[in-house]
Amino acid sequence: MHGWVGHNVYGAELERVLLDSAAIDRRVRELGDSISRDYAGRELLAVGILKGALIFLADLVRRLTVPVAIDFVAVGSYGAGTESSGAVRILKDLEQDIAGRHVLLVEDIVDTGLTLNYLLEIFRARAPASLRVCVLLDKPERRRVPVPIDYCGFVIPDEFVVGYGLDYNERYRHLSDIVVLRREVYRGNSV
Ligand code: PRP
Ligand code: 7HP
């Protein structure tokens, strides 16, 4: 865990750096190595879940040594803020047919598990040759439905984090580090 060095360059809403860009980079390389080993001789379809997985997916695919195609799906839970309401819907579907393909779902964070659980059900029904899950962050204390995670970057505590693709009300996705949002910012703002 890291504290701030000098003043808080991120502003008053953010508390501390949980994972800095060097630690993220090291872990993404390791994940890329594992995935490349496991998929040797096969072609992969990496499916990023928008928008949070955008930056993770972009870095991860550049660490792969197997052929990889990329597609995206956008899923929304109803509502804003830090709490999922539980209802999930597809906002943008895949452009490619995944039947017979080796599909790797790439997600920034698994929290309640509702998003991944929903997508896995939908994608399984489309008969891919294989379907695996790669998440950068796992927040197991918040889980409401179990989800199988094949590749996990970091297990993190139950704190709301932003940066490296993750947002709070669409802010902070561009940060290179993963940073804890102060509880005062979102307390009482659950939907
Ligand atoms: C976030 C995150 C995951 C999901 C995880 O997405 O990117 O997709 O929530 O939560 P869950 O495990 O409780 O379902 P969000 O709906 O905020 O959309 P975004 O990726 O566009 O930020
Ligand atoms: C969703 C989400 N988005 C950003 N930061 C977190 O900690 C999150 N948990 N679930």
Side-chain angles (χ1 to χ4, degrees), residues 6-18:
H7 68 295
N8 178 351
V9 293
Y10 288 130
E13 288 192 335
L14 305 184
E15 187 178 293
R16 70 182 193 285
V17 175
L18 182 65

Side-chain angles (χ1 to χ4, degrees), residues 82-103:
T82 60
E83 286 286 324
S84 170
S85 62
V88 187
R89 63 192 162 134
I90 288 210
L91 303 175
K92 179 215 167 295
D93 207 337
L94 297 174
E95 290 173 7
Q96 304 179 41
D97 184 3
I98 62 170
R101 311 278 300 272
H102 294 287
V103 177

Side-chain angles (χ1 to χ4, degrees), residues 49-52 75 77 84 107-115 167 173:
I49 305 174
L50 291 171
K51 299 175 221 164
V75 183
S77 51
S84 170
E107 179 62 300
D108 55 347
I109 187 164
V110 53
D111 186 296
T112 63
L114 292 165
T115 304
D167 75 310
R173 292 192 200 272

Side-chain angles (χ1 to χ4, degrees), residues 82 108-109 111 139 142 156 159-162 166-168:
T82 60
D108 55 347
I109 187 164
D111 186 296
K139 222 193 259 185
R142 297 254 314 158
I156 64 164
E159 294 184 289
F160 199 86
V161 290
V162 295
L166 294 128
D167 75 310
Y168 175 66

